[in-house]
Amino acid sequence: MFSRNGIKQRKSSWQDGVLGTNCPIPPRSNWTYKMQMKDQIGTFSYFPSTLMHRAAGGFGALNVHNRSVIPLPYPKPADEFTVIVNDWFKADHKVLQQTLDSGKPCPFPDGLLINGHPHSSVFTGEAGKTYLFRVSNVGMTTSINFRIQSHMLRLVEVEGAHTLQELYESLDIHVGQSMAVLVTLHAIVKEYYIVASTRFTKPTLTATASLQYAGSHTPPSGLLPIGPTYQVHWSMKQARTIMWNLTANAARPNPQGSFHYGTVNIVKTLIFANSATKINGKLRYAVNGVSYVNPATPLKLADYFNIPGVFTLNSIPTTPKPGPASLGTAVTGATLHDFVEIIFQNNENTIQSWHLDGYDFWTVGFGSKQWTPAMRRRYNREDATSRYTVQVYPNSWSAIFVSLDNKGMWNLRSAIWPRQYLGQQLYVRVWNDEHSLLAEYDIPQNALKCGKAAHLQT
């Protein structure tokens, strides 16, 4: 199966491509996804979502452009480049899966790649022109820092949202995240290093590529531009500088800032704390004490056909609870159009990355140690950027606002794939009792059926 980070699948979680919504595609067969990139523009990615298959590759970029009638908030670049960064393992996906199944943690990556190469990718442009670089971290475990020797990065888009166009020497991009930057080729005609290096790791892994000025035969030279390594506070401060461009259009003619998210009443608050634990003597990851197990029947099929015994609604606490973790199929319920605050509490010493399918959300706050209601005074309620994947720093918290306006069964998961595989995920059932195509599309005619739904008719 394939899933697409950030594509909302409006009214159709049937097309989401995760085990809670779709049956696996059988070997030596095919299945066609049908989706509409409705009301979205920006930089996205896709990847195989079954087991540990993404360690074998199969991932890539999915770039959605503005309609011609919607102006860009910056001059049209001369061209655009897609930059895919990922960590790489010598072990294949089956060996990595066996390692995790045995109760051992995922090993440290063996390298870092830019567009499939550790050092040989080349991007060519003309002196004096400006280019758009769409950069995605499609790795499984490691945050990265991205930079270009002797060139500044003008951030213009984060995961489908136009941002204030601040200049950066380098940018942190966490697992599952994407950004778009403008780069003007203003330097001496030669080649320059493009660098991606891991964050919060020991040792630091580095991959390089080349920015080549057309007509140049001079290879990159000098030291690689220095990037941050473990400076957590530096990264958190940078995250707070990434803000929504309130006057820019996105996919629609109306400005992004015409929706005043900070004034909407919060219907409920969900606090999700991740943890590493042992269950039956083996390593597992949990959310609020529940380590997710995929049932043989996808949740969406069980919900549609009213199949008992697959999942229980609200089977995960909405705040952290003391006590040992247990295995379970965690589903939390919400009503269509609820406006929800979600706190991601990270009490571990490693960085986390959380992704919500079917939505984007506003990243209103980052902070150290424990979240308390008093932290709301520090929220950005004016121009926090929207995105679909948020980082949570070690021993810290992140807060998001999300408008649950997309009916369906949606995966909320760790974007760090070994943690997702070993249970750090849950599903959010967004529902109302009205059967209407205005709210949700019917089950696709080509829907695969498995588990307890294998012989049921639509």
Side-chain angles (χ1 to χ4, degrees):
M1 288 193 297
F2 280 85
S3 191
R4 292 144 297 273
N5 254 13
I7 300 300
K8 294 180 181 178
Q9 314 291 353
R10 293 290 301 174
K11 302 190 291 185
S12 187
S13 58
W14 300 109
Q15 308 289 344
D16 201 28
V18 290
L19 289 173
T21 57
N22 297 83
C23 298
I25 302 169
R28 293 178 292 278
S29 66
N30 64 76
W31 195 75
T32 301
Y33 295 96
K34 295 181 180 179
M35 68 195 79
Q36 181 184 19
M37 309 304 179
K38 182 175 175 58
D39 295 337
Q40 288 191 265
I41 56 93
T43 306
F44 309 96
S45 61
Y46 63 88
F47 61 93
S49 60
T50 312
L51 304 176
M52 293 295 290
H53 289 179
R54 66 184 298 172
F59 45 73
L62 182 55
N63 302 327
V64 183
H65 293 88
N66 290 57
R67 292 180 292 154
S68 59
V69 296
I70 306 297
L72 289 168
Y74 49 84
K76 184 178 180 180
D79 204 348
E80 65 178 56
F81 301 118
T82 295
V83 183
I84 296 293
V85 183
N86 68 285
D87 47 17
W88 175 77
F89 298 81
K90 291 180 180 178
D92 70 13
H93 70 96
K94 293 182 180 179
V95 173
L96 291 175
Q97 182 181 334
Q98 290 167 358
T99 298
L100 295 173
D101 288 344
S102 72
K104 299 176 182 178
C106 186
F108 189 73
D110 294 294
L112 203 62
L113 305 178
I114 297 176
N115 286 8
H117 302 280
H119 301 297
S120 58
S121 296
V122 178
F123 303 88
T124 302
E126 297 182 24
K129 293 187 176 180
T130 298
Y131 295 84
L132 184 72
F133 283 74
R134 297 183 182 269
V135 190
S136 295
N137 181 350
V138 299
M140 294 202 305
T141 63
T142 48
S143 300
I144 62 124
N145 180 267
F146 180 81
R147 53 202 183 273
I148 301 179
Q149 184 184 33
S150 301
H151 292 74
M152 297 294 286
L153 312 176
R154 184 177 295 278
L155 183 65
V156 294
E157 181 247 322
V158 168
E159 299 170 21
H162 287 132
T163 61
L164 291 182
Q165 296 178 19
E166 302 290 347
L167 285 170
Y168 297 88
E169 292 182 351
S170 70
L171 281 162
D172 280 355
I173 307 176
H174 305 280
V175 178
Q177 293 184 345
S178 298
M179 294 181 177
V181 297
L182 292 174
V183 179
T184 299
L185 276 58
H186 58 75
I188 297 171
V189 175
K190 52 171 286 192
E191 292 184 31
Y192 296 86
Y193 288 116
I194 298 174
V195 182
S197 57
T198 56
R199 295 286 273 117
F200 320 115
T201 66
K202 295 180 181 179
T204 300
L205 302 176
T206 301
T208 61
S210 295
L211 173 59
Q212 181 184 57
Y213 280 53
S216 168
H217 302 288
T218 305
S221 59
L223 298 175
L224 297 182
I226 296 173
T229 53
Y230 200 85
Q231 296 87 341
V232 172
H233 187 60
W234 182 96
S235 185
M236 189 182 293
K237 285 177 65 177
Q238 183 183 82
R240 292 180 181 136
T241 69
I242 299 174
M243 292 177 284
W244 227 17
N245 187 334
L246 299 180
T247 61
N249 309 105
R252 290 185 172 188
N254 52 303
Q256 293 179 144
S258 60
F259 184 79
H260 302 284
Y261 69 88
T263 64
V264 182
N265 290 330
I266 295 170
V267 173
K268 66 169 67 175
T269 296
L270 307 173
I271 305 175
F272 293 129
N274 53 273
S275 61
T277 186
K278 283 197 172 182
I279 300 177
N280 300 325
K282 292 185 177 182
L283 174 66
R284 295 287 299 187
Y285 298 101
V287 184
N288 289 2
V290 182
S291 184
Y292 188 87
V293 177
N294 283 300
T297 307
L299 307 177
K300 186 63 180 170
L301 287 178
D303 204 22
Y304 180 82
F305 288 112
N306 294 313
I307 300 172
V310 176
F311 74 92
T312 301
L313 193 61
N314 298 320
S315 49
I316 180 173
T318 56
T319 57
K321 301 293 183 184
S326 60
L327 301 175
T329 301
V331 181
T332 192
T335 301
L336 184 64
H337 301 303
D338 277 357
F339 194 81
V340 175
E341 174 189 40
I342 302 178
I343 312 301
F344 297 106
Q345 180 66 54
N346 179 17
N347 298 322
E348 299 184 61
N349 294 323
T350 57
I351 191 165
Q352 304 294 316
S353 189
W354 280 94
H355 174 84
L356 176 59
D357 281 354
Y359 292 93
D360 53 17
F361 45 73
W362 291 272
T363 52
V364 296
F366 301 92
S368 301
K369 300 180 181 178
Q370 294 292 312
W371 180 89
T372 68
M375 304 301 182
R376 293 186 176 119
R377 295 196 300 266
R378 295 160 49 182
Y379 284 2
N380 179 350
R381 297 176 181 269
E382 300 293 331
D383 57 2
T385 192
S386 61
R387 63 188 319 158
Y388 49 75
T389 304
V390 63
Q391 72 274 20
V392 192
Y393 294 98
N395 297 298
S396 299
W397 55 268
S398 297
I400 67 171
F401 289 170
V402 57
S403 179
L404 297 179
D405 59 358
N406 194 12
K407 188 174 177 178
M409 187 76 72
W410 301 107
N411 191 207
L412 176 59
R413 63 175 178 266
S414 173
I416 299 172
W417 210 247
R419 298 186 71 102
Q420 178 272 350
Y421 178 73
L422 289 181
Q424 191 175 317
Q425 60 172 313
L426 62 136
Y427 280 80
V428 182
R429 180 184 185 259
V430 181
W431 191 252
N432 68 358
D433 290 330
E434 179 186 2
H435 180 77
S436 169
L437 296 180
L438 295 176
E440 185 178 32
Y441 297 136
D442 286 334
I443 185 172
Q445 292 184 348
N446 67 339
L448 298 173
K449 303 182 188 69
C450 54
K452 295 181 178 180
H455 303 295
L456 299 178
Q457 300 295 317
T458 56

